[in-house]
Amino acid sequence: MRNLILLGKGVNPHENLALEEALMDAIQPGDAAMYLWQNKNTVVIGRNQNAWQECRCELLKEEGGVLARRSSGGGAVFHDLGNLNFTFAASPERYDLQRQLKVVQEALLPLGIESEFSGRNDILTMDGRKFSGNAFKHTKTCSMQHGTLLVRVDMQKLGRYLNPPAEKLKAKGVASVRSRVCNLCEFNPDITIEAVRAALMESFQNLYGPAEALRADDFDITEKYARYSSWAWNYGETPVFDLELRKRFDWGILEVLLQLQHGAVSNVHVYSDAMDAELPPKLEQALAGKPFGSSLPDAVSPYPDIAQWLREELPL
């Protein structure tokens, strides 16, 4: 039986998620591990979520951010360096959700923060505000719980990236449930990421016993990183969804119906009462098969007014 602690060494979300999966693969019977890690300027979506429904993807990219899809369920979250992520990975016989939650709760008590676990997989302050969202994954050899700890997160960016203009998006993914969120620094102005990390490591060993330190460099994450960082995983795994756009131009009405699958246009129909009878088939040909995103307005650049309309209307 081993107790293990692993500290992430970087802030790249695709590397960190790959390392988390490598840790799960390395769990042996009787093992219980805690992994602490951070991401920089990242939106992380759940395994079954629609990227564009959850995040302003183009805005995030333009402002130097990164989208990452994890392998667990749950909703979308924003990570910056004011957030600390924790992962508990254990063999099935040692996986104990209540004990794992107790590690977090007892770590925060010396820092002046009392908390409770809600039925929606969140950890809340005693006044019902969320500072930790949790998600889970189970395999035959390992069960995993991971979550966030909002210590000093930029709430302006959180709201900026996680509230897409989805009025016209009819998605078949799993939508996030928005909750009142807070930073732990609101309850303890002197709290730091370093203090929370140290408190978690101490609490884990108090509840599990002395722990062996693992090194991130000991794991080969090459193949896992390639998958987690790929467009196919982060966007192509998006469930099928439909988009209906309609506008009256000076030259007539244009209606564009898009069906998307694996993050690209799988079917497109264009209707118009414009005098140019060739316009709809030309637009259909231009849009078919294109990845969802800025490539769609770029594909119709010979028609500047339509391209500009798509840039304004698409939930990018």
Side-chain angles (χ1 to χ4, degrees):
M1 184 174 71
R2 298 184 302 171
N3 301 319
L4 309 166
I5 292 178
L6 173 62
L7 301 181
K9 69 171 188 175
V11 294
N12 181 310
H14 304 132
E15 290 182 353
N16 288 330
L17 289 168
L19 181 57
E20 180 182 70
E21 186 174 293
L23 173 63
M24 291 185 66
D25 289 347
I27 292 294
Q28 301 173 12
D31 286 352
M34 182 177 69
Y35 166 43
L36 302 177
W37 46 291
Q38 287 187 284
N39 292 330
K40 182 179 180 181
N41 202 27
T42 300
V43 171
V44 182
I45 60 175
R47 175 67 179 84
N48 299 310
Q49 289 196 295
N50 183 312
W52 295 281
Q53 182 187 31
E54 296 300 325
C55 173
R56 289 189 174 97
C57 299
E58 294 292 324
L59 178 64
L60 177 69
K61 183 179 178 180
E62 288 170 4
E63 297 185 353
V66 180
L67 179 86
R69 183 187 298 275
R70 61 181 182 269
S71 60
S72 62
V77 289
F78 173 71
H79 294 172
D80 65 12
L81 296 183
N83 172 74
L84 179 64
N85 301 298
F86 62 84
T87 300
F88 293 104
S91 58
E93 72 275 10
R94 290 202 74 195
Y95 180 82
D96 185 337
L97 179 59
Q98 295 306 315
R99 193 181 193 186
Q100 292 152 199
L101 290 168
K102 193 174 182 181
V103 170
V104 177
Q105 292 177 296
E106 293 202 356
L108 296 177
L109 282 175
L111 300 173
I113 297 160
E114 294 185 59
S115 60
E116 60 182 356
F117 185 65
S118 85
R120 196 186 284 169
N121 304 331
D122 300 330
I123 306 178
L124 314 176
T125 60
M126 298 310 290
D127 64 353
R129 299 176 68 195
K130 172 181 172 179
F131 63 86
S132 176
N134 288 251
F136 310 89
K137 181 180 179 181
H138 304 281
T139 68
K140 290 182 179 180
T141 59
C142 181
S143 289
M144 183 270 286
Q145 168 204 359
H146 56 187
T148 58
L149 287 173
L150 279 64
V151 178
R152 209 176 289 271
V153 170
D154 187 333
M155 291 294 181
Q156 184 177 5
K157 284 188 176 181
L158 184 150
R160 181 172 172 81
Y161 299 138
L162 290 185
N163 289 295
E167 299 87 357
K168 296 182 179 178
L169 190 63
K170 301 192 298 185
K172 296 177 176 65
V174 178
S176 293
V177 177
R178 307 300 179 193
S179 304
R180 287 195 309 149
V181 295
C182 66
N183 275 315
L184 295 179
C185 65
E186 296 179 38
F187 304 89
N188 177 355
D190 298 322
I191 197 170
T192 63
I193 292 289
E194 291 73 19
V196 175
R197 183 187 290 113
L200 284 167
M201 294 170 65
E202 180 178 355
S203 179
F204 180 79
Q205 294 184 90
N206 286 342
L207 288 164
Y208 283 84
E212 172 189 344
L214 298 176
R215 297 176 64 252
D217 290 338
D218 291 338
F219 294 86
D220 182 0
I221 64 169
T222 305
E223 290 185 7
K224 297 182 190 301
Y225 171 73
R227 175 163 55 87
Y228 276 106
S229 61
S230 70
W231 190 95
W233 170 259
N234 290 301
Y235 294 96
E237 289 293 320
T238 295
V240 175
F241 69 99
D242 301 306
L243 192 64
E244 300 177 5
L245 301 173
R246 190 174 189 273
K247 181 178 175 63
R248 181 184 293 276
F249 292 89
D250 292 341
W251 41 262
I253 294 174
L254 184 67
E255 185 173 14
V256 178
L257 307 179
L258 300 175
Q259 184 177 58
L260 292 95
Q261 192 164 16
H262 303 305
V265 176
S266 60
N267 198 4
V268 55
H269 293 287
V270 178
Y271 303 97
S272 178
D273 61 358
M275 295 297 290
D276 181 2
E278 295 302 312
L279 178 62
K282 287 180 179 178
L283 293 176
E284 290 176 353
Q285 184 177 7
L287 295 171
K290 295 293 189 298
F292 188 75
S294 58
S295 61
L296 294 184
D298 291 346
V300 297
S301 57
Y303 309 94
D305 52 349
I306 298 176
Q308 181 59 34
W309 170 57
L310 290 180
R311 290 190 185 95
E312 294 171 354
E313 290 294 306
L314 289 173
L316 303 178

